[in-house]
């Protein structure tokens, strides 16, 4: 699998949210803090799934920065029992754009975000449980909360 570089991922997210973002590649899975989110992508034409697993606080920082929310407001919204519609819509937009990094050679189609591994489509769940390829990152976002980010693939 041709993999995206940490610098290309940093550039994509920095350009998207207008803040400096740094992806630092790790040799092993970084410690996740708080709730995890799984984002499933159907890769065409193979019809296989790749998955981004990341801290909700990190993905919310991307989404909140995109729509101009202050870090404190993002934290309050994430702490709520149910994610509000504005932040959820921005999260979907960010993760849709992130389809550019889940595959370099093919087309990735964002299929959804899931708060629980059991909610993923079966093929995506298998990718998470037994990835043939994985890359791990610790991410910082200027002025916002950073976190852990992993890309998992079946080949």
């Amino acid at each position: 699998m041709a993999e995206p570089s940490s610098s290309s991922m940093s550039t994509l997210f920095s350009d998207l949210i207008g803040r400096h973002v740094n992806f630092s590649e790790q040799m092993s899975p970084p410690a996740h803090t708080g709730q995890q989110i799984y984002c499933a992508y159907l890769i065409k034409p193979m019809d296989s799934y790749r998955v981004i697993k990341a801290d909700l606080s990190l993905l919310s920082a991307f989404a909140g920065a995109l729509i101009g929310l202050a870090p404190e407001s993002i934290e309050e919204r994430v702490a709520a029992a149910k994610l509000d519609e504005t932040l959820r819509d921005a999260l979907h937009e960010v993760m849709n754009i992130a389809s550019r990094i889940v595959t370099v050679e093919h087309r990735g189609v964002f299929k959804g975000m899931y708060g629980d591994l059991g909610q993923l489509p079966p093929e995506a769940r298998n990718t998470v449980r037994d990835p043939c390829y994985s890359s791990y990152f610790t991410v910082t976002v200027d002025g916002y909360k950073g976190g852990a980010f992993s890309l998992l693939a079946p080949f």
Side-chain angles (χ1 to χ4, degrees):
M1 171 181 147
E3 56 189 275
S5 68
S6 57
S7 64
S8 67
M9 294 168 65
S10 297
T11 299
L12 174 72
F13 284 99
S14 294
D15 290 349
L16 176 63
I17 68 171
R19 297 273 181 159
H20 179 73
V21 176
N22 184 55
F23 279 74
S24 175
E25 192 158 10
Q26 307 297 305
M27 296 305 292
S28 58
H32 288 275
T33 58
Q35 183 179 352
Q36 302 303 294
I37 293 293
Y38 299 91
C39 299
Y41 296 84
L42 181 62
I43 306 303
K44 293 293 194 175
M46 288 80 64
D47 290 332
S48 64
Y49 278 88
R50 293 189 184 162
V51 177
I52 290 174
K53 177 184 177 188
D55 293 336
L56 174 59
S57 58
L58 171 63
L59 299 183
S60 296
F62 289 153
L66 177 68
I67 59 175
L69 294 177
E72 302 79 25
S73 177
I74 297 167
E75 290 177 19
E76 289 172 11
R77 292 169 188 233
V78 169
K82 185 176 179 182
L83 207 55
D84 73 64
E85 185 177 350
T86 302
L87 189 58
R88 188 183 68 241
D89 288 349
L91 268 166
H92 279 264
E93 180 65 23
V94 168
M95 299 323 296
N96 189 42
I97 292 167
S99 66
R100 292 175 50 196
I101 61 168
V102 297
T103 180
V104 175
E105 301 167 327
H106 304 288
R107 189 171 139 243
V109 179
F110 176 58
K111 298 305 280 185
M113 285 188 316
Y114 307 88
D116 182 74
L117 182 60
Q119 298 171 331
L120 283 165
E123 299 88 354
R125 198 174 327 130
N126 292 339
T127 297
V128 173
R129 288 186 178 142
D130 188 26
C132 289
Y133 167 83
S134 54
S135 55
Y136 308 107
F137 303 90
T138 299
V139 183
T140 58
V141 182
D142 186 37
Y144 290 83
K145 189 171 185 173
F149 186 101
S150 302
L151 177 59
L152 309 166
F155 55 88

